[in-house]
Amino acid sequence: MLSIFPRMFNAVLENGISARALHAGALAVRLWNPRDFTDDAHRTVDQRPYGGGAGMLMKPAPLAAAIDAARRVNDGPVVYLSPQGERLDQRMLDELARLPALILLAGRYEGIDERIVQSRVDREISLGDYVLAGGELAAMVVIEGVARLLPGVLGNQQSARQDSFSADSQPCPLLDCPHYTRPEVFEGRAVPAVLLSGNHGEIRRWRLMQALGRTSERRPELLAGLKLDRRQSELLKAYRRGKNFQSERGDD
Ligand code: 4H7
């Protein structure tokens, strides 16, 4: 991990699943600060852009030296987090989680000198079409997304985890169904009766219906990429019928 703000990573490395992955030895993160690879008294990592314009760039020499040092310790593809990158998705996280090592590069200022991209970056990844002040949060998204996929990380579901290491990590085909826990009634809202029925066939059916219905309402483009079988089409129709019924009653 290369960043001029290494302490930002405490947020993800000291908490939750990534912290557990670290302690379990399933994950190791080493932080490299380009500032430690400068040779002037001010430890300068930024420089004005050729051609003018607002803002500064990360100058190439400290980045090159930091990347090369990181590579000597743990060689792996260099991933640069930037808005110009390929969109991150679950399939990509799965791919990254299978690599023995990875060098994440977080840019600050207006980005890095293009010659570093050319000479040392293997893959440019973006979280999505929006702008952050630095690549650190994006890198942390990659760290947490990868950590939870590593074998031996999810204590209780360890074996399930390994089974699903490939299968479960394909791009999630559908959105998740709604979830409920105790109490049965909260602020006047009851848990759907089917979930209390003990009929596991009906519960599975209801959950799939909700997943299909919510996906068609919220992310129709995900559904367009799927080929629904007879049962799934019927469940989706039933969901829509239920919705129409509710809105006719005015309690949608
Ligand atoms: C590399 C190049 C990632 C990194 C430029 C990083 C969004 C994402 C950054 C920039 C990021 C993402 C510098 C471009 C600051 C915008 C105001 C850091 N933003 N920045 N500029 N979508 N910012 O994954």
Side-chain angles (χ1 to χ4, degrees), residues 174-180 207-220 223 236 239 243:
L174 293 176
L175 300 186
D176 203 2
C177 63
H179 302 286
Y180 298 86
R207 286 181 170 156
L208 178 57
M209 180 171 72
Q210 294 294 317
L212 288 162
R214 282 158 41 127
T215 306
S216 87
E217 285 172 348
R218 303 178 187 191
R219 299 288 305 280
L223 217 50
L236 181 53
Y239 178 91
K243 281 275 143 148

Side-chain angles (χ1 to χ4, degrees), residues 23-45:
H23 292 134
L27 175 71
V29 176
R30 196 166 159 160
L31 290 154
W32 300 86
N33 189 342
R35 212 176 280 289
D36 295 333
F37 295 84
T38 52
D39 41 26
D40 63 315
H42 293 108
R43 313 212 320 142
T44 310
V45 291

Side-chain angles (χ1 to χ4, degrees), residues 80-84 107 109-111 125-128 130-135 138:
Y80 177 44
L81 291 311
S82 104
Q84 280 72 49
Y109 312 108
E110 294 312 308
I125 295 180
S126 166
L127 294 191
Y130 47 85
V131 168
L132 304 168

